[in-house]
Amino acid sequence: MSNQNPTETDKPLECDMMVIGAGMAGMAAALFAAHRGLTTVLVGESSEVIFASGLLDLLGVHPVAAQKAWDDPWAALASLRRDEPEHPYARIPDEDIHSAFGQVTDFLAEAGLPYTLGGDRNRRLLTSLGTEKISYALPRTMDAGPEALADRGACLIMDIRGLKGFSARQIAFARKADWPGIRPVRIAFPGTEKQAEVYTEPLARALEVEAQRETFAAVLDPHVRDVDFVGMPAVLGIYRCSEVMAHLEARLGVRLFEIPSFPPCIPGLRLKEAFEQYLPRRGVRMITGRRVLSARFEGREGFFFEVGASDVQLRVRSRATVLASGRFLGGGLRSDRQRVRETLFGLPVHQPTGRAEWHRRRFLNPAGHPLNRAGLAVDDGFRPLDTNGRAAHPALFAAGTILSHQDWMRSKCGSGLAMASAYAAVKAFCEAGIGGAG
């Protein structure tokens, strides 16, 4: 099915599974549903994936209040399950998390965006602040970063004149005490010498042209003759990043690695493009730039939706739904002066009893704020609970950051939680006897 913006029709579109939300959880849910043979429709007004760093975290920190970082994410998961039995991860076995990561990274590799999984270890890499970040699955364009950090040998950090938010001098200064072999350089990107400001997307697109890469390499070549690694902003192409990196590494004779920076950034754009271009090839109907205007249960038969920008342009009837609409940024949750509300089905939101309990007195409280853990409570099949503590509907599921009892940002588990909960939701639907073949 092609990716297209629909026009209003009287006959509803029929599908097995409706996925609401175009972030990582929604994209992963659509992928897993298609993999199991379900006819799938995904609706998303905009994709939060573009704000992703490109890293696929599993679990890096637990407990959050103690800021304990883990090199072994699977041991961290075991500890989290003991300490927080209501956390969404506590409902998902390790083998399902492995399957979720495997299916997503296999899909991304087919889309020309290969990743390296950490196996039984997290990996440490540089950030654009010069600090260290723990993650589990890295795009191949960042793969040499952990090696350079562990080696602490001769390493050049390169930035580009006019590119905001990335300073090689800042990174080198932050690391000079423990990494004497690191040094910065600033270059003018070919063709931008007279520009006061440059942006990552045009630079990345330019490097997809072989002649531009040759010119870029010629500018960089005098600076790299005595180094083993070169760290740089994430501009090594969008659709052909493996080819771009391989060409430049061969031309320069060094290992290159991109350094994740503040969103929105190119690695997030690569993820968005990979999902939006290749999910339709798996049979997913992608309805982008639109949102669900209304939703209703149709008994045990499923759901009925009206979809559009402001007016109804398409109606969809589905047997199951995965609600992956995110939190406040994605529009899945909304707050007023009294409480937090789920915006589509009016589902009850697990939250502090009063607004005065939403936040701690310290803005940078190490444990975070209680509001960070607000969201939908679910059963073991990831079905949201009603006010009586029972599943609101046998075929309604929730996945991603909309889930309660978790603080994905401080735990460093955002992408992993999104993918694993999406996998668990689709699996629960199929194993209930109303899904497709596994």
Side-chain angles (χ1 to χ4, degrees), residues 32 74 93-106 423:
F32 300 143
W74 306 101
D94 284 355
E95 55 265 32
D96 286 356
I97 299 174
H98 276 291
S99 294
F101 269 88
Q103 286 187 29
V104 170
T105 54
D106 285 350
Y423 184 91

Side-chain angles (χ1 to χ4, degrees), residues 128-393:
S128 58
L129 297 176
T131 56
E132 293 182 21
K133 160 94 169 101
I134 286 178
S135 191
Y136 181 68
L138 278 59
R140 291 279 175 84
T141 54
M142 300 182 190
D143 212 20
E147 296 178 44
L149 182 60
D151 180 71
R152 306 288 170 99
C155 179
L156 181 74
I157 304 297
M158 181 270 291
D159 67 21
I160 296 169
R161 187 181 303 159
L163 181 63
K164 306 296 185 183
F166 189 99
S167 169
R169 289 183 63 188
Q170 177 177 326
I171 295 171
F173 179 81
R175 305 304 310 209
K176 66 177 183 178
D178 65 347
W179 195 344
I182 195 170
R183 62 180 174 84
V185 68
R186 173 164 294 175
I187 68 163
F189 192 90
T192 70
E193 293 85 355
K194 295 182 180 181
Q195 295 177 216
E197 189 168 356
V198 298
Y199 301 93
T200 54
E201 187 173 343
L203 300 182
R205 293 187 186 280
L207 288 178
E208 292 189 333
V209 179
E210 184 175 352
Q212 281 283 78
R213 292 199 295 273
E214 286 290 341
T215 307
F216 175 74
V219 172
L220 195 55
D221 187 61
H223 304 284
V224 304
R225 294 174 183 174
D226 57 348
V227 300
D228 300 312
F229 296 94
V230 175
M232 60 187 297
V235 294
L236 293 174
I238 297 174
Y239 302 103
R240 299 159 58 193
C241 49
S242 294
E243 176 187 328
V244 172
M245 187 173 72
H247 181 191
L248 288 173
E249 285 186 330
R251 170 68 173 76
L252 295 168
V254 296
R255 298 285 304 283
L256 298 179
F257 64 93
E258 293 181 326
I259 298 174
S261 58
F262 296 106
C265 55
I266 293 300
L269 178 60
R270 290 175 189 147
L271 281 172
K272 176 180 179 292
E273 293 294 307
F275 280 120
E276 291 188 351
Q277 288 195 21
Y278 282 82
L279 279 178
R281 302 185 188 187
R282 295 290 184 93
V284 177
R285 174 75 173 265
M286 303 281 288
I287 302 175
T288 57
R290 301 293 184 267
R291 62 190 177 94
V292 177
L293 300 173
S294 68
R296 71 170 185 259
F297 299 142
E298 293 198 327
R300 297 184 65 86
E301 299 302 313
F303 308 84
F304 183 83
F305 301 97
E306 293 182 321
V307 175
S310 56
D311 299 322
V312 176
Q313 295 172 296
L314 182 72
R315 295 173 175 84
V316 180
R317 180 172 282 114
S318 69
R319 293 196 294 135
T321 297
V322 175
L323 186 61
S325 47
R327 291 173 58 79
F328 302 102
L329 179 62
L333 301 179
R334 184 175 299 142
S335 65
D336 55 30
R337 298 186 67 85
Q338 284 75 43
R339 61 192 180 99
V340 180
R341 305 169 189 270
E342 188 275 314
T343 57
L344 187 57
F345 291 99
L347 297 165
V349 176
H350 175 83
Q351 58 190 290
T353 53
R355 187 177 174 116
E357 303 300 319
W358 284 11
H359 302 286
R360 301 298 186 204
R361 187 171 295 275
R362 286 180 61 191
F363 177 69
L364 297 177
N365 190 293
H369 300 274
L371 187 64
N372 300 137
R373 301 174 69 87
L376 301 183
V378 295
D379 64 12
D380 287 344
F382 282 81
R383 285 173 275 261
L385 304 180
D386 63 17
T387 54
N388 297 314
R390 295 190 292 266
H393 189 283

Side-chain angles (χ1 to χ4, degrees), residues 79-102:
S79 178
L80 180 145
R81 291 179 180 123
R82 289 191 298 268
D83 298 340
E84 300 184 32
E86 294 300 314
H87 194 286
Y89 265 149
R91 304 179 186 276
I92 312 171
D94 284 355
E95 55 265 32
D96 286 356
I97 299 174
H98 276 291
S99 294
F101 269 88

